[in-house]
Amino acid sequence: MRDIGVPHPRLPLPPQGGEDDPGEFLAWLGEAIPLVRQLGIREMRREGDRLGWELALTPNLNDKGTGFGGSLAAQTTLLGWCWATLWLRRRGLARDVVVAEATQRFLAPVTGDYCLECLPEAEEGPERLAARLDEKGRGRIALVQRLWCGETLCLEARGDYAVLAERA
């Protein structure tokens, strides 16, 4: 068990220009953020600027037998954090990312296993973030997350993620 206020060790960066192994990253994430082990994440995948998870509903059930809103909101926030963290890691940067603002709109009940996807709100968002990091050493990016249960869009979320200046 970790002590409160003590950061978890960072995962070593992938080889120059390389990608993180999704299984290794999720295993590290489960150690760094213990709640992750309870979220039912089955698989992580990247397609271009889109990061997605496949999730099991069972660990996220509410009293009505559908998806618990608090759990789903946590998942959208965490997936955005993962998107920003992995984006930085592909560029050889080990930096702290925090969520600055997040909103969710619940559109339909989640009634089965589901997928969650995250992508930049604006197509030019990653380029703007890269420029801001080069210029100021820190920056922000707006990301959107969508939760799909089959063909049904059940949740739309948006978050602003801040990349903090390098630790001294």
Side-chain angles (χ1 to χ4, degrees), residues 1-9 32 34 96 167:
M1 169 130 355
R2 268 193 3 249
D3 291 328
I4 295 172
V6 177
H8 187 73
D96 287 330
R167 289 187 206 169

Side-chain angles (χ1 to χ4, degrees), residues 115-132:
C115 64
L116 188 57
E117 65 180 11
C118 179
L119 62 155
E121 182 176 63
E123 188 176 315
E124 64 279 359
E127 293 83 27
R128 283 198 312 250
L129 176 57
R132 185 80 172 158

Side-chain angles (χ1 to χ4, degrees), residues 13 85 87-95 133-134 163 166:
L13 288 170
T85 298
W87 182 88
L88 289 164
R89 290 174 58 76
R90 283 192 315 277
R91 284 152 185 79
L93 300 171
R95 301 287 286 282
L133 289 171
D134 287 344
V163 177
E166 216 167 348

Side-chain angles (χ1 to χ4, degrees), residues 64-102:
K64 296 157 207 61
T66 60
F68 173 57
S71 183
L72 305 176
Q75 291 168 357
T76 63
T77 302
L78 181 60
L79 183 59
W81 180 91
C82 288
W83 188 99
T85 298
L86 290 167
W87 182 88
L88 289 164
R89 290 174 58 76
R90 283 192 315 277
R91 284 152 185 79
L93 300 171
R95 301 287 286 282
D96 287 330
V97 175
V98 297
V99 61
E101 183 178 343

Side-chain angles (χ1 to χ4, degrees), residues 35-162:
L35 175 66
V36 168
R37 292 177 277 203
Q38 307 305 316
L39 294 178
I41 303 167
R42 292 181 172 166
E43 178 185 349
M44 182 173 77
R45 68 187 179 295
R46 279 188 37 78
E47 297 169 14
D49 270 346
R50 187 177 310 261
L51 181 64
W53 285 343
E54 298 290 330
L55 297 113
L57 177 58
T58 304
N60 299 291
L61 285 173
N62 63 17
D63 58 318
K64 296 157 207 61
T66 60
F68 173 57
S71 183
L72 305 176
Q75 291 168 357
T76 63
T77 302
L78 181 60
L79 183 59
W81 180 91
C82 288
W83 188 99
T85 298
L86 290 167
W87 182 88
L88 289 164
R89 290 174 58 76
R90 283 192 315 277
R91 284 152 185 79
L93 300 171
R95 301 287 286 282
D96 287 330
V97 175
V98 297
V99 61
E101 183 178 343
T103 59
Q104 300 86 29
R105 280 188 29 203
F106 297 88
L107 306 169
V110 178
T111 58
D113 293 348
Y114 54 98
C115 64
L116 188 57
E117 65 180 11
C118 179
L119 62 155
E121 182 176 63
E123 188 176 315
E124 64 279 359
E127 293 83 27
R128 283 198 312 250
L129 176 57
R132 185 80 172 158
L133 289 171
D134 287 344
E135 179 184 320
K136 301 280 187 185
R138 64 187 192 285
R140 285 178 104 153
I141 187 165
L143 300 171
V144 294
Q145 299 89 22
R146 293 183 185 96
L147 186 154
W148 297 89
C149 187
E151 299 294 315
T152 303
L153 178 60
C154 298
L155 169 62
E156 288 182 315
R158 181 192 181 282
D160 285 335
Y161 294 83

